[in-house]
mmCIF file of all heavy atoms in Angstrom:
data_model
loop_
_atom_site.group_PDB
_atom_site.id
_atom_site.type_symbol
_atom_site.label_atom_id
_atom_site.label_comp_id
_atom_site.label_asym_id
_atom_site.label_seq_id
_atom_site.Cartn_x
_atom_site.Cartn_y
_atom_site.Cartn_z
ATOM 1 N N MET Q 1154 84.482 19.784 121.228
ATOM 2 C CA MET Q 1154 83.038 20.008 121.156
ATOM 3 C C MET Q 1154 82.664 20.956 120.023
ATOM 4 O O MET Q 1154 81.531 21.007 119.601
ATOM 5 C CB MET Q 1154 82.542 20.634 122.488
ATOM 6 C CG MET Q 1154 82.361 19.533 123.553
ATOM 7 S SD MET Q 1154 81.115 18.297 123.086
ATOM 8 C CE MET Q 1154 80.984 17.400 124.623
ATOM 9 N N SER Q 1155 83.653 21.701 119.566
ATOM 10 C CA SER Q 1155 83.313 22.656 118.505
ATOM 11 C C SER Q 1155 82.818 21.935 117.252
ATOM 12 O O SER Q 1155 81.909 22.421 116.580
ATOM 13 C CB SER Q 1155 84.539 23.517 118.149
ATOM 14 O OG SER Q 1155 85.586 22.681 117.717
ATOM 15 N N ASP Q 1156 83.405 20.802 116.968
ATOM 16 C CA ASP Q 1156 82.966 20.060 115.794
ATOM 17 C C ASP Q 1156 81.498 19.649 115.904
ATOM 18 O O ASP Q 1156 80.714 19.750 114.989
ATOM 19 C CB ASP Q 1156 83.822 18.814 115.601
ATOM 20 C CG ASP Q 1156 85.184 19.162 115.043
ATOM 21 O OD1 ASP Q 1156 85.356 20.293 114.531
ATOM 22 O OD2 ASP Q 1156 86.097 18.319 115.159
ATOM 23 N N GLU Q 1157 81.159 19.230 117.097
ATOM 24 C CA GLU Q 1157 79.782 18.796 117.318
ATOM 25 C C GLU Q 1157 78.829 19.950 117.134
ATOM 26 O O GLU Q 1157 77.756 19.816 116.561
ATOM 27 C CB GLU Q 1157 79.650 18.214 118.703
ATOM 28 C CG GLU Q 1157 78.420 17.358 118.894
ATOM 29 C CD GLU Q 1157 78.448 16.556 120.126
ATOM 30 O OE1 GLU Q 1157 79.564 16.195 120.612
ATOM 31 O OE2 GLU Q 1157 77.391 16.274 120.724
ATOM 32 N N GLN Q 1158 79.198 21.097 117.622
ATOM 33 C CA GLN Q 1158 78.305 22.261 117.449
ATOM 34 C C GLN Q 1158 78.130 22.608 115.979
ATOM 35 O O GLN Q 1158 77.060 22.945 115.533
ATOM 36 C CB GLN Q 1158 78.888 23.460 118.192
ATOM 37 C CG GLN Q 1158 78.740 23.327 119.722
ATOM 38 C CD GLN Q 1158 79.315 24.506 120.475
ATOM 39 O OE1 GLN Q 1158 80.054 25.329 119.861
ATOM 40 N NE2 GLN Q 1158 78.981 24.649 121.717
ATOM 41 N N GLY Q 1159 79.270 22.505 115.220
ATOM 42 C CA GLY Q 1159 79.167 22.807 113.799
ATOM 43 C C GLY Q 1159 78.208 21.851 113.118
ATOM 44 O O GLY Q 1159 77.399 22.248 112.284
ATOM 45 N N ALA Q 1160 78.217 20.612 113.511
ATOM 46 C CA ALA Q 1160 77.334 19.626 112.905
ATOM 47 C C ALA Q 1160 75.899 19.980 113.214
ATOM 48 O O ALA Q 1160 75.002 19.907 112.403
ATOM 49 C CB ALA Q 1160 77.642 18.237 113.436
ATOM 50 N N ASP Q 1161 75.659 20.379 114.468
ATOM 51 C CA ASP Q 1161 74.293 20.748 114.874
ATOM 52 C C ASP Q 1161 73.819 21.943 114.046
ATOM 53 O O ASP Q 1161 72.701 21.977 113.587
ATOM 54 C CB ASP Q 1161 74.247 21.085 116.328
ATOM 55 C CG ASP Q 1161 74.354 19.841 117.214
ATOM 56 O OD1 ASP Q 1161 74.220 18.769 116.629
ATOM 57 O OD2 ASP Q 1161 74.589 19.996 118.398
ATOM 58 N N ARG Q 1162 74.699 22.904 113.867
ATOM 59 C CA ARG Q 1162 74.288 24.057 113.108
ATOM 60 C C ARG Q 1162 73.935 23.683 111.665
ATOM 61 O O ARG Q 1162 72.979 24.145 111.130
ATOM 62 C CB ARG Q 1162 75.413 25.095 113.111
ATOM 63 C CG ARG Q 1162 75.049 26.359 112.419
ATOM 64 C CD ARG Q 1162 76.056 27.461 112.734
ATOM 65 N NE ARG Q 1162 76.067 27.764 114.180
ATOM 66 C CZ ARG Q 1162 76.834 28.728 114.699
ATOM 67 N NH1 ARG Q 1162 77.649 29.437 113.958
ATOM 68 N NH2 ARG Q 1162 76.795 28.993 116.003
ATOM 69 N N HIS Q 1163 74.762 22.805 111.101
ATOM 70 C CA HIS Q 1163 74.471 22.374 109.744
ATOM 71 C C HIS Q 1163 73.126 21.680 109.681
ATOM 72 O O HIS Q 1163 72.363 21.859 108.742
ATOM 73 C CB HIS Q 1163 75.594 21.433 109.294
ATOM 74 C CG HIS Q 1163 75.444 20.996 107.854
ATOM 75 N ND1 HIS Q 1163 75.735 21.845 106.795
ATOM 76 C CD2 HIS Q 1163 74.990 19.871 107.314
ATOM 77 C CE1 HIS Q 1163 75.493 21.203 105.642
ATOM 78 N NE2 HIS Q 1163 75.054 19.993 105.950
ATOM 79 N N LYS Q 1164 72.875 20.887 110.649
ATOM 80 C CA LYS Q 1164 71.596 20.159 110.704
ATOM 81 C C LYS Q 1164 70.430 21.134 110.766
ATOM 82 O O LYS Q 1164 69.414 20.937 110.118
ATOM 83 C CB LYS Q 1164 71.602 19.233 111.905
ATOM 84 C CG LYS Q 1164 70.443 18.248 111.890
ATOM 85 C CD LYS Q 1164 70.570 17.273 113.073
ATOM 86 C CE LYS Q 1164 69.379 16.303 113.091
ATOM 87 N NZ LYS Q 1164 69.502 15.425 114.265
ATOM 88 N N ASP Q 1165 70.579 22.120 111.610
ATOM 89 C CA ASP Q 1165 69.514 23.108 111.727
ATOM 90 C C ASP Q 1165 69.250 23.766 110.382
ATOM 91 O O ASP Q 1165 68.100 23.955 109.981
ATOM 92 C CB ASP Q 1165 69.921 24.188 112.725
ATOM 93 C CG ASP Q 1165 69.782 23.664 114.136
ATOM 94 O OD1 ASP Q 1165 69.198 22.572 114.327
ATOM 95 O OD2 ASP Q 1165 70.337 24.319 115.061
ATOM 96 N N LYS Q 1166 70.325 24.084 109.694
ATOM 97 C CA LYS Q 1166 70.130 24.782 108.381
ATOM 98 C C LYS Q 1166 69.391 23.853 107.446
ATOM 99 O O LYS Q 1166 68.540 24.300 106.690
ATOM 100 C CB LYS Q 1166 71.532 25.101 107.806
ATOM 101 C CG LYS Q 1166 71.483 25.980 106.625
ATOM 102 C CD LYS Q 1166 72.856 26.355 106.157
ATOM 103 C CE LYS Q 1166 72.769 27.273 104.939
ATOM 104 N NZ LYS Q 1166 74.120 27.560 104.418
ATOM 105 N N ALA Q 1167 69.688 22.552 107.466
ATOM 106 C CA ALA Q 1167 69.061 21.611 106.589
ATOM 107 C C ALA Q 1167 67.564 21.557 106.900
ATOM 108 O O ALA Q 1167 66.702 21.419 106.026
ATOM 109 C CB ALA Q 1167 69.658 20.212 106.754
ATOM 110 N N LEU Q 1168 67.238 21.725 108.164
ATOM 111 C CA LEU Q 1168 65.845 21.634 108.550
ATOM 112 C C LEU Q 1168 65.068 22.872 108.043
ATOM 113 O O LEU Q 1168 63.892 22.782 107.665
ATOM 114 C CB LEU Q 1168 65.736 21.632 110.069
ATOM 115 C CG LEU Q 1168 66.068 20.273 110.692
ATOM 116 C CD1 LEU Q 1168 66.053 20.371 112.218
ATOM 117 C CD2 LEU Q 1168 65.023 19.218 110.283
ATOM 118 N N TYR Q 1169 65.766 23.962 107.952
ATOM 119 C CA TYR Q 1169 65.070 25.191 107.523
ATOM 120 C C TYR Q 1169 65.028 25.297 105.992
ATOM 121 O O TYR Q 1169 64.115 25.843 105.427
ATOM 122 C CB TYR Q 1169 65.766 26.415 108.127
ATOM 123 C CG TYR Q 1169 65.454 26.618 109.538
ATOM 124 C CD1 TYR Q 1169 66.434 26.504 110.526
ATOM 125 C CD2 TYR Q 1169 64.150 26.886 109.969
ATOM 126 C CE1 TYR Q 1169 66.142 26.658 111.870
ATOM 127 C CE2 TYR Q 1169 63.826 27.058 111.288
ATOM 128 C CZ TYR Q 1169 64.845 26.948 112.259
ATOM 129 O OH TYR Q 1169 64.553 27.101 113.583
ATOM 130 N N GLU Q 1170 66.043 24.790 105.401
ATOM 131 C CA GLU Q 1170 66.095 24.915 103.915
ATOM 132 C C GLU Q 1170 65.649 23.609 103.288
ATOM 133 O O GLU Q 1170 66.385 22.758 102.906
ATOM 134 C CB GLU Q 1170 67.517 25.217 103.457
ATOM 135 C CG GLU Q 1170 67.992 26.577 103.980
ATOM 136 C CD GLU Q 1170 69.312 26.972 103.369
ATOM 137 O OE1 GLU Q 1170 69.899 26.157 102.635
ATOM 138 O OE2 GLU Q 1170 69.744 28.090 103.668
ATOM 139 N N HIS Q 1171 64.355 23.455 103.224
ATOM 140 C CA HIS Q 1171 63.813 22.250 102.638
ATOM 141 C C HIS Q 1171 63.022 22.629 101.387
ATOM 142 O O HIS Q 1171 61.976 23.274 101.434
ATOM 143 C CB HIS Q 1171 62.929 21.468 103.632
ATOM 144 C CG HIS Q 1171 61.975 22.386 104.410
ATOM 145 N ND1 HIS Q 1171 60.833 22.892 103.837
ATOM 146 C CD2 HIS Q 1171 62.021 22.804 105.686
ATOM 147 C CE1 HIS Q 1171 60.201 23.603 104.776
ATOM 148 N NE2 HIS Q 1171 60.916 23.583 105.890
ATOM 149 N N TYR Q 1172 63.522 22.163 100.294
ATOM 150 C CA TYR Q 1172 62.847 22.420 99.040
ATOM 151 C C TYR Q 1172 62.077 21.173 98.617
ATOM 152 O O TYR Q 1172 62.279 20.068 99.179
ATOM 153 C CB TYR Q 1172 63.818 22.856 97.949
ATOM 154 C CG TYR Q 1172 64.423 24.195 98.228
ATOM 155 C CD1 TYR Q 1172 65.607 24.336 98.902
ATOM 156 C CD2 TYR Q 1172 63.763 25.356 97.801
ATOM 157 C CE1 TYR Q 1172 66.148 25.591 99.195
ATOM 158 C CE2 TYR Q 1172 64.287 26.601 98.054
ATOM 159 C CZ TYR Q 1172 65.496 26.701 98.751
ATOM 160 O OH TYR Q 1172 66.016 27.923 99.023
ATOM 161 N N CYS Q 1173 61.279 21.299 97.631
ATOM 162 C CA CYS Q 1173 60.463 20.193 97.146
ATOM 163 C C CYS Q 1173 61.357 18.982 96.831
ATOM 164 O O CYS Q 1173 62.416 19.133 96.241
ATOM 165 C CB CYS Q 1173 59.696 20.615 95.879
ATOM 166 S SG CYS Q 1173 58.728 19.275 95.199
ATOM 167 N N ASP Q 1174 60.945 17.852 97.272
ATOM 168 C CA ASP Q 1174 61.750 16.610 97.112
ATOM 169 C C ASP Q 1174 61.650 16.064 95.695
ATOM 170 O O ASP Q 1174 62.370 15.189 95.330
ATOM 171 C CB ASP Q 1174 61.212 15.542 98.107
ATOM 172 C CG ASP Q 1174 62.306 14.511 98.377
ATOM 173 O OD1 ASP Q 1174 63.383 14.918 98.725
ATOM 174 O OD2 ASP Q 1174 61.981 13.309 98.272
ATOM 175 N N HIS Q 1175 60.738 16.587 94.943
ATOM 176 C CA HIS Q 1175 60.591 16.151 93.584
ATOM 177 C C HIS Q 1175 61.798 16.577 92.725
ATOM 178 O O HIS Q 1175 62.237 17.695 92.814
ATOM 179 C CB HIS Q 1175 59.313 16.758 92.948
ATOM 180 C CG HIS Q 1175 58.939 16.127 91.643
ATOM 181 N ND1 HIS Q 1175 59.477 16.574 90.467
ATOM 182 C CD2 HIS Q 1175 58.064 15.138 91.357
ATOM 183 C CE1 HIS Q 1175 58.948 15.863 89.485
ATOM 184 N NE2 HIS Q 1175 58.092 14.998 90.019
ATOM 185 N N SER Q 1176 62.322 15.634 91.950
ATOM 186 C CA SER Q 1176 63.517 15.958 91.162
ATOM 187 C C SER Q 1176 63.170 17.019 90.133
ATOM 188 O O SER Q 1176 62.034 17.024 89.593
ATOM 189 C CB SER Q 1176 64.049 14.738 90.439
ATOM 190 O OG SER Q 1176 63.037 14.149 89.657
ATOM 191 N N ASP Q 1177 64.087 17.923 89.859
ATOM 192 C CA ASP Q 1177 63.906 19.006 88.919
ATOM 193 C C ASP Q 1177 62.992 20.088 89.408
ATOM 194 O O ASP Q 1177 62.714 21.025 88.692
ATOM 195 C CB ASP Q 1177 63.402 18.490 87.568
ATOM 196 C CG ASP Q 1177 64.359 17.532 86.927
ATOM 197 O OD1 ASP Q 1177 65.543 17.654 87.225
ATOM 198 O OD2 ASP Q 1177 63.938 16.659 86.136
ATOM 199 N N CYS Q 1178 62.483 19.940 90.590
ATOM 200 C CA CYS Q 1178 61.612 20.990 91.108
ATOM 201 C C CYS Q 1178 62.444 21.844 92.110
ATOM 202 O O CYS Q 1178 63.084 21.277 92.980
ATOM 203 C CB CYS Q 1178 60.404 20.389 91.823
ATOM 204 S SG CYS Q 1178 59.298 21.633 92.465
ATOM 205 N N THR Q 1179 62.387 23.134 91.921
ATOM 206 C CA THR Q 1179 63.143 23.992 92.781
ATOM 207 C C THR Q 1179 62.280 24.864 93.658
ATOM 208 O O THR Q 1179 62.700 25.852 94.199
ATOM 209 C CB THR Q 1179 64.069 24.905 91.940
ATOM 210 O OG1 THR Q 1179 63.275 25.603 90.986
ATOM 211 C CG2 THR Q 1179 65.162 24.087 91.206
ATOM 212 N N LYS Q 1180 61.016 24.456 93.728
ATOM 213 C CA LYS Q 1180 60.103 25.242 94.514
ATOM 214 C C LYS Q 1180 60.331 24.968 95.999
ATOM 215 O O LYS Q 1180 60.893 23.934 96.393
ATOM 216 C CB LYS Q 1180 58.643 24.911 94.153
ATOM 217 C CG LYS Q 1180 58.288 25.448 92.806
ATOM 218 C CD LYS Q 1180 56.824 25.189 92.503
ATOM 219 C CE LYS Q 1180 56.436 25.720 91.123
ATOM 220 N NZ LYS Q 1180 55.047 25.413 90.808
ATOM 221 N N TRP Q 1181 59.814 25.829 96.805
ATOM 222 C CA TRP Q 1181 59.931 25.629 98.212
ATOM 223 C C TRP Q 1181 59.001 24.498 98.687
ATOM 224 O O TRP Q 1181 57.804 24.481 98.342
ATOM 225 C CB TRP Q 1181 59.525 26.947 98.941
ATOM 226 C CG TRP Q 1181 59.663 26.854 100.426
ATOM 227 C CD1 TRP Q 1181 58.618 26.758 101.281
ATOM 228 C CD2 TRP Q 1181 60.860 26.831 101.158
ATOM 229 N NE1 TRP Q 1181 59.148 26.709 102.559
ATOM 230 C CE2 TRP Q 1181 60.503 26.747 102.499
ATOM 231 C CE3 TRP Q 1181 62.220 26.893 100.811
ATOM 232 C CZ2 TRP Q 1181 61.458 26.685 103.542
ATOM 233 C CZ3 TRP Q 1181 63.135 26.860 101.844
ATOM 234 C CH2 TRP Q 1181 62.756 26.772 103.183
ATOM 235 N N GLY Q 1182 59.555 23.606 99.456
ATOM 236 C CA GLY Q 1182 58.723 22.490 99.945
ATOM 237 C C GLY Q 1182 58.055 22.881 101.265
ATOM 238 O O GLY Q 1182 58.587 22.653 102.354
ATOM 239 N N GLY Q 1183 56.918 23.449 101.100
ATOM 240 C CA GLY Q 1183 56.239 23.971 102.275
ATOM 241 C C GLY Q 1183 55.445 22.880 102.977
ATOM 242 O O GLY Q 1183 55.002 23.074 104.126
ATOM 243 N N LEU Q 1184 55.305 21.741 102.333
ATOM 244 C CA LEU Q 1184 54.499 20.668 102.921
ATOM 245 C C LEU Q 1184 55.360 19.497 103.337
ATOM 246 O O LEU Q 1184 56.023 18.909 102.462
ATOM 247 C CB LEU Q 1184 53.428 20.195 101.885
ATOM 248 C CG LEU Q 1184 52.497 21.326 101.397
ATOM 249 C CD1 LEU Q 1184 51.677 20.863 100.210
ATOM 250 C CD2 LEU Q 1184 51.553 21.746 102.526
ATOM 251 N N GLY Q 1185 55.398 19.241 104.576
ATOM 252 C CA GLY Q 1185 56.251 18.144 105.073
ATOM 253 C C GLY Q 1185 55.483 16.883 105.284
ATOM 254 O O GLY Q 1185 54.358 16.894 105.840
ATOM 255 N N PHE Q 1186 56.063 15.762 104.883
ATOM 256 C CA PHE Q 1186 55.414 14.486 105.117
ATOM 257 C C PHE Q 1186 56.373 13.560 105.780
ATOM 258 O O PHE Q 1186 57.468 13.268 105.254
ATOM 259 C CB PHE Q 1186 54.962 13.886 103.761
ATOM 260 C CG PHE Q 1186 53.905 14.718 103.063
ATOM 261 C CD1 PHE Q 1186 54.302 15.743 102.210
ATOM 262 C CD2 PHE Q 1186 52.585 14.478 103.284
ATOM 263 C CE1 PHE Q 1186 53.339 16.508 101.590
ATOM 264 C CE2 PHE Q 1186 51.628 15.255 102.703
ATOM 265 C CZ PHE Q 1186 51.974 16.252 101.814
ATOM 266 N N ALA Q 1187 55.999 13.083 106.921
ATOM 267 C CA ALA Q 1187 56.877 12.166 107.649
ATOM 268 C C ALA Q 1187 56.098 10.852 107.912
ATOM 269 O O ALA Q 1187 54.983 10.895 108.413
ATOM 270 C CB ALA Q 1187 57.296 12.802 108.988
ATOM 271 N N ALA Q 1188 56.716 9.781 107.555
ATOM 272 C CA ALA Q 1188 56.119 8.456 107.785
ATOM 273 C C ALA Q 1188 56.882 7.758 108.877
ATOM 274 O O ALA Q 1188 58.016 7.348 108.663
ATOM 275 C CB ALA Q 1188 56.090 7.661 106.492
ATOM 276 N N GLY Q 1189 56.247 7.561 109.978
ATOM 277 C CA GLY Q 1189 56.907 6.837 111.085
ATOM 278 C C GLY Q 1189 58.146 7.608 111.512
ATOM 279 O O GLY Q 1189 58.123 8.807 111.766
ATOM 280 N N LYS Q 1190 59.285 6.886 111.588
ATOM 281 C CA LYS Q 1190 60.480 7.476 112.079
ATOM 282 C C LYS Q 1190 61.382 7.993 110.921
ATOM 283 O O LYS Q 1190 62.509 8.412 111.133
ATOM 284 C CB LYS Q 1190 61.333 6.460 112.869
ATOM 285 C CG LYS Q 1190 60.586 6.052 114.163
ATOM 286 C CD LYS Q 1190 61.464 5.055 114.943
ATOM 287 C CE LYS Q 1190 60.728 4.653 116.217
ATOM 288 N NZ LYS Q 1190 61.478 3.615 116.953
ATOM 289 N N ASP Q 1191 60.880 7.894 109.703
ATOM 290 C CA ASP Q 1191 61.636 8.352 108.577
ATOM 291 C C ASP Q 1191 61.864 9.871 108.661
ATOM 292 O O ASP Q 1191 61.088 10.573 109.246
ATOM 293 C CB ASP Q 1191 60.939 7.992 107.264
ATOM 294 C CG ASP Q 1191 60.990 6.507 106.978
ATOM 295 O OD1 ASP Q 1191 61.803 5.855 107.676
ATOM 296 O OD2 ASP Q 1191 60.252 6.057 106.129
ATOM 297 N N GLU Q 1192 62.897 10.314 107.938
ATOM 298 C CA GLU Q 1192 63.117 11.741 107.843
ATOM 299 C C GLU Q 1192 61.921 12.355 107.125
ATOM 300 O O GLU Q 1192 61.440 11.775 106.115
ATOM 301 C CB GLU Q 1192 64.393 12.017 107.063
ATOM 302 C CG GLU Q 1192 65.632 11.566 107.770
ATOM 303 C CD GLU Q 1192 66.155 12.646 108.710
ATOM 304 O OE1 GLU Q 1192 66.092 13.824 108.293
ATOM 305 O OE2 GLU Q 1192 66.554 12.347 109.812
ATOM 306 N N PRO Q 1193 61.468 13.490 107.570
ATOM 307 C CA PRO Q 1193 60.372 14.105 106.841
ATOM 308 C C PRO Q 1193 60.794 14.533 105.467
ATOM 309 O O PRO Q 1193 61.894 14.977 105.259
ATOM 310 C CB PRO Q 1193 60.028 15.305 107.735
ATOM 311 C CG PRO Q 1193 61.231 15.580 108.555
ATOM 312 C CD PRO Q 1193 61.887 14.235 108.728
ATOM 313 N N ARG Q 1194 59.957 14.342 104.518
ATOM 314 C CA ARG Q 1194 60.209 14.792 103.153
ATOM 315 C C ARG Q 1194 59.311 15.973 102.851
ATOM 316 O O ARG Q 1194 58.175 16.003 103.294
ATOM 317 C CB ARG Q 1194 59.979 13.638 102.192
ATOM 318 C CG ARG Q 1194 60.820 12.444 102.501
ATOM 319 C CD ARG Q 1194 60.482 11.292 101.590
ATOM 320 N NE ARG Q 1194 60.928 11.570 100.200
ATOM 321 C CZ ARG Q 1194 60.661 10.746 99.186
ATOM 322 N NH1 ARG Q 1194 59.894 9.704 99.382
ATOM 323 N NH2 ARG Q 1194 61.078 11.037 98.007
ATOM 324 N N TRP Q 1195 59.840 16.857 102.063
ATOM 325 C CA TRP Q 1195 59.128 18.106 101.796
ATOM 326 C C TRP Q 1195 58.741 18.229 100.365
ATOM 327 O O TRP Q 1195 59.525 17.928 99.455
ATOM 328 C CB TRP Q 1195 60.015 19.303 102.225
ATOM 329 C CG TRP Q 1195 60.334 19.245 103.673
ATOM 330 C CD1 TRP Q 1195 61.428 18.610 104.228
ATOM 331 C CD2 TRP Q 1195 59.577 19.816 104.752
ATOM 332 N NE1 TRP Q 1195 61.368 18.779 105.579
ATOM 333 C CE2 TRP Q 1195 60.247 19.502 105.950
ATOM 334 C CE3 TRP Q 1195 58.428 20.550 104.806
ATOM 335 C CZ2 TRP Q 1195 59.810 19.893 107.158
ATOM 336 C CZ3 TRP Q 1195 57.927 20.971 106.050
ATOM 337 C CH2 TRP Q 1195 58.664 20.606 107.223
ATOM 338 N N PHE Q 1196 57.545 18.673 100.113
ATOM 339 C CA PHE Q 1196 57.066 18.824 98.774
ATOM 340 C C PHE Q 1196 56.386 20.186 98.655
ATOM 341 O O PHE Q 1196 55.807 20.706 99.614
ATOM 342 C CB PHE Q 1196 56.072 17.781 98.387
ATOM 343 C CG PHE Q 1196 56.697 16.351 98.401
ATOM 344 C CD1 PHE Q 1196 56.736 15.606 99.536
ATOM 345 C CD2 PHE Q 1196 57.243 15.848 97.208
ATOM 346 C CE1 PHE Q 1196 57.299 14.355 99.538
ATOM 347 C CE2 PHE Q 1196 57.806 14.612 97.229
ATOM 348 C CZ PHE Q 1196 57.845 13.840 98.370
ATOM 349 N N CYS Q 1197 56.373 20.680 97.416
ATOM 350 C CA CYS Q 1197 55.620 21.888 97.134
ATOM 351 C C CYS Q 1197 54.135 21.459 96.954
ATOM 352 O O CYS Q 1197 53.862 20.233 96.943
ATOM 353 C CB CYS Q 1197 56.130 22.591 95.890
ATOM 354 S SG CYS Q 1197 55.848 21.678 94.378
ATOM 355 N N PHE Q 1198 53.298 22.411 96.785
ATOM 356 C CA PHE Q 1198 51.871 22.065 96.697
ATOM 357 C C PHE Q 1198 51.605 21.168 95.508
ATOM 358 O O PHE Q 1198 50.756 20.302 95.510
ATOM 359 C CB PHE Q 1198 51.069 23.354 96.612
ATOM 360 C CG PHE Q 1198 49.569 23.147 96.722
ATOM 361 C CD1 PHE Q 1198 48.969 22.900 97.956
ATOM 362 C CD2 PHE Q 1198 48.799 23.187 95.567
ATOM 363 C CE1 PHE Q 1198 47.613 22.693 98.031
ATOM 364 C CE2 PHE Q 1198 47.443 22.975 95.654
ATOM 365 C CZ PHE Q 1198 46.811 22.740 96.865
ATOM 366 N N GLU Q 1199 52.297 21.453 94.394
ATOM 367 C CA GLU Q 1199 52.047 20.688 93.163
ATOM 368 C C GLU Q 1199 52.467 19.217 93.322
ATOM 369 O O GLU Q 1199 51.781 18.303 92.804
ATOM 370 C CB GLU Q 1199 52.864 21.299 92.010
ATOM 371 C CG GLU Q 1199 52.247 22.552 91.479
ATOM 372 C CD GLU Q 1199 53.054 23.055 90.299
ATOM 373 O OE1 GLU Q 1199 53.301 22.282 89.378
ATOM 374 O OE2 GLU Q 1199 53.449 24.252 90.318
ATOM 375 N N HIS Q 1200 53.530 18.964 93.969
ATOM 376 C CA HIS Q 1200 54.107 17.592 94.000
ATOM 377 C C HIS Q 1200 53.838 16.871 95.289
ATOM 378 O O HIS Q 1200 54.384 15.817 95.536
ATOM 379 C CB HIS Q 1200 55.621 17.684 93.759
ATOM 380 C CG HIS Q 1200 55.959 18.223 92.446
ATOM 381 N ND1 HIS Q 1200 56.779 19.307 92.259
ATOM 382 C CD2 HIS Q 1200 55.615 17.814 91.204
ATOM 383 C CE1 HIS Q 1200 56.919 19.541 90.956
ATOM 384 N NE2 HIS Q 1200 56.217 18.649 90.272
ATOM 385 N N ARG Q 1201 52.994 17.386 96.090
ATOM 386 C CA ARG Q 1201 52.718 16.730 97.297
ATOM 387 C C ARG Q 1201 52.120 15.322 97.040
ATOM 388 O O ARG Q 1201 51.278 15.202 96.136
ATOM 389 C CB ARG Q 1201 51.776 17.537 98.154
ATOM 390 C CG ARG Q 1201 50.405 17.676 97.502
ATOM 391 C CD ARG Q 1201 49.423 18.370 98.385
ATOM 392 N NE ARG Q 1201 48.130 18.507 97.719
ATOM 393 C CZ ARG Q 1201 47.028 18.941 98.378
ATOM 394 N NH1 ARG Q 1201 47.093 19.261 99.594
ATOM 395 N NH2 ARG Q 1201 45.910 19.040 97.672
ATOM 396 N N PRO Q 1202 52.543 14.302 97.723
ATOM 397 C CA PRO Q 1202 51.959 12.995 97.506
ATOM 398 C C PRO Q 1202 50.566 12.941 98.092
ATOM 399 O O PRO Q 1202 50.166 13.758 98.907
ATOM 400 C CB PRO Q 1202 52.912 12.063 98.288
ATOM 401 C CG PRO Q 1202 53.474 12.910 99.376
ATOM 402 C CD PRO Q 1202 53.563 14.301 98.768
ATOM 403 N N GLU Q 1203 49.814 11.973 97.659
ATOM 404 C CA GLU Q 1203 48.492 11.793 98.236
ATOM 405 C C GLU Q 1203 48.667 11.328 99.636
ATOM 406 O O GLU Q 1203 49.261 10.277 99.916
ATOM 407 C CB GLU Q 1203 47.714 10.742 97.434
ATOM 408 C CG GLU Q 1203 47.080 11.318 96.200
ATOM 409 C CD GLU Q 1203 45.984 10.407 95.627
ATOM 410 O OE1 GLU Q 1203 45.186 9.906 96.452
ATOM 411 O OE2 GLU Q 1203 46.011 10.155 94.440
ATOM 412 N N TRP Q 1204 48.228 12.142 100.506
ATOM 413 C CA TRP Q 1204 48.443 11.860 101.931
ATOM 414 C C TRP Q 1204 47.138 11.414 102.521
ATOM 415 O O TRP Q 1204 46.205 12.204 102.701
ATOM 416 C CB TRP Q 1204 48.982 13.067 102.616
ATOM 417 C CG TRP Q 1204 49.439 12.780 103.997
ATOM 418 C CD1 TRP Q 1204 48.819 13.084 105.138
ATOM 419 C CD2 TRP Q 1204 50.629 12.092 104.392
ATOM 420 N NE1 TRP Q 1204 49.555 12.679 106.221
ATOM 421 C CE2 TRP Q 1204 50.660 12.021 105.790
ATOM 422 C CE3 TRP Q 1204 51.681 11.521 103.647
ATOM 423 C CZ2 TRP Q 1204 51.681 11.417 106.487
ATOM 424 C CZ3 TRP Q 1204 52.723 10.883 104.345
ATOM 425 C CH2 TRP Q 1204 52.681 10.857 105.783
ATOM 426 N N LYS Q 1205 47.063 10.127 102.817
ATOM 427 C CA LYS Q 1205 45.818 9.611 103.378
ATOM 428 C C LYS Q 1205 46.000 9.409 104.887
ATOM 429 O O LYS Q 1205 46.289 8.308 105.386
ATOM 430 C CB LYS Q 1205 45.425 8.317 102.694
ATOM 431 C CG LYS Q 1205 45.118 8.527 101.228
ATOM 432 C CD LYS Q 1205 44.882 7.222 100.499
ATOM 433 C CE LYS Q 1205 44.594 7.493 99.005
ATOM 434 N NZ LYS Q 1205 44.517 6.213 98.250
ATOM 435 N N GLY Q 1206 45.856 10.520 105.563
ATOM 436 C CA GLY Q 1206 46.019 10.427 106.995
ATOM 437 C C GLY Q 1206 44.777 9.816 107.624
ATOM 438 O O GLY Q 1206 43.707 9.747 107.048
ATOM 439 N N ARG Q 1207 45.009 9.345 108.787
ATOM 440 C CA ARG Q 1207 43.882 8.733 109.504
ATOM 441 C C ARG Q 1207 43.345 9.647 110.548
ATOM 442 O O ARG Q 1207 44.076 10.357 111.188
ATOM 443 C CB ARG Q 1207 44.368 7.400 110.214
ATOM 444 C CG ARG Q 1207 44.635 6.316 109.143
ATOM 445 C CD ARG Q 1207 44.769 5.014 109.824
ATOM 446 N NE ARG Q 1207 46.001 4.948 110.660
ATOM 447 C CZ ARG Q 1207 46.272 3.913 111.478
ATOM 448 N NH1 ARG Q 1207 45.500 2.961 111.564
ATOM 449 N NH2 ARG Q 1207 47.376 3.887 112.155
HETATM 450 ZN ZN1 ZN O 1465 57.586 20.393 93.556
#
């Protein structure tokens, strides 16, 4: 079970350390965009996609 816990911890870290998804951008991705069941993608304010929510 220890392996499984390690994986969970790694996953948690990935969730917290989300930088802008734009290539070459190292800014903090404070804006998360999730479409359906896809993994949420994170962008900084500059690179955020046009989000046309309903
Ligand atoms: Zn960016």
Side-chain angles (χ1 to χ4, degrees):
M1154 280 299 188
S1155 60
D1156 285 343
E1157 197 167 332
Q1158 286 181 346
D1161 285 347
R1162 183 166 298 181
H1163 184 76
K1164 190 176 179 182
D1165 285 347
K1166 189 176 181 185
L1168 284 174
Y1169 285 114
E1170 296 187 357
H1171 46 75
Y1172 292 92
C1173 179
D1174 202 52
H1175 190 276
S1176 56
D1177 296 335
C1178 182
T1179 55
K1180 289 184 180 178
W1181 180 254
L1184 301 168
F1186 296 88
K1190 294 180 180 177
D1191 288 346
E1192 292 274 319
R1194 301 176 69 188
W1195 299 90
F1196 295 89
C1197 69
F1198 188 78
E1199 283 183 51
H1200 296 124
R1201 64 176 179 170
E1203 278 196 46
W1204 190 254
K1205 295 174 181 174
R1207 288 193 292 174

